[in-house]
Amino acid sequence: MLVDGCSHTGIEEILQAASAVDPHTHIVFGGLHLVRTPVPDIDRLVDSLKNKWKLDKVAPGHCTGEPAFLRLQKAFGDDYLYAGAGTRLEIP
């Protein structure tokens, strides 16, 4: 599990650093800092989170941005959890 407040440095760079501790991150919670990112770059990142990093679930928060929320929700389906302010998520 990876929890970040806002991925200013880039979520893939954060996942790369986390992979030194555990090669598989099951879920990312937090802001992905994509609010001003062009849609083609968001599409590439969503594909990478799903297929390269093989995240089981994603729980994007505040600074992810509406275009990315929509694309992540489409890609992850039931494995998409919105993690906005005040949201409570149970971790089994």
Side-chain angles (χ1 to χ4, degrees):
M1 171 177 17
L2 177 69
V3 178
D4 74 72
C6 185
S7 305
H8 284 260
T9 60
I11 189 60
E12 290 194 278
E13 287 77 7
I14 295 168
L15 285 164
Q16 183 64 44
S19 70
V21 176
D22 187 335
H24 180 66
T25 299
H26 296 277
I27 185 169
V28 169
F29 291 95
L32 301 184
H33 201 71
L34 302 172
V35 73
R36 294 186 179 190
T37 304
V39 169
D41 293 341
I42 292 171
D43 289 338
R44 185 205 57 78
L45 177 65
V46 169
D47 181 68
S48 185
L49 294 176
K50 185 80 175 164
N51 298 306
K52 175 184 175 186
W53 296 103
K54 303 202 183 296
L55 293 179
D56 300 322
K57 295 181 183 288
V58 64
H62 71 290
C63 64
T64 301
E66 292 302 321
F69 285 140
L70 295 171
R71 284 160 175 78
L72 287 162
Q73 189 173 29
K74 183 177 180 183
F76 283 87
D78 289 341
D79 295 320
Y80 169 92
L81 309 164
Y82 178 71
T87 301
R88 293 178 184 223
L89 301 172
E90 292 198 27
I91 312 280

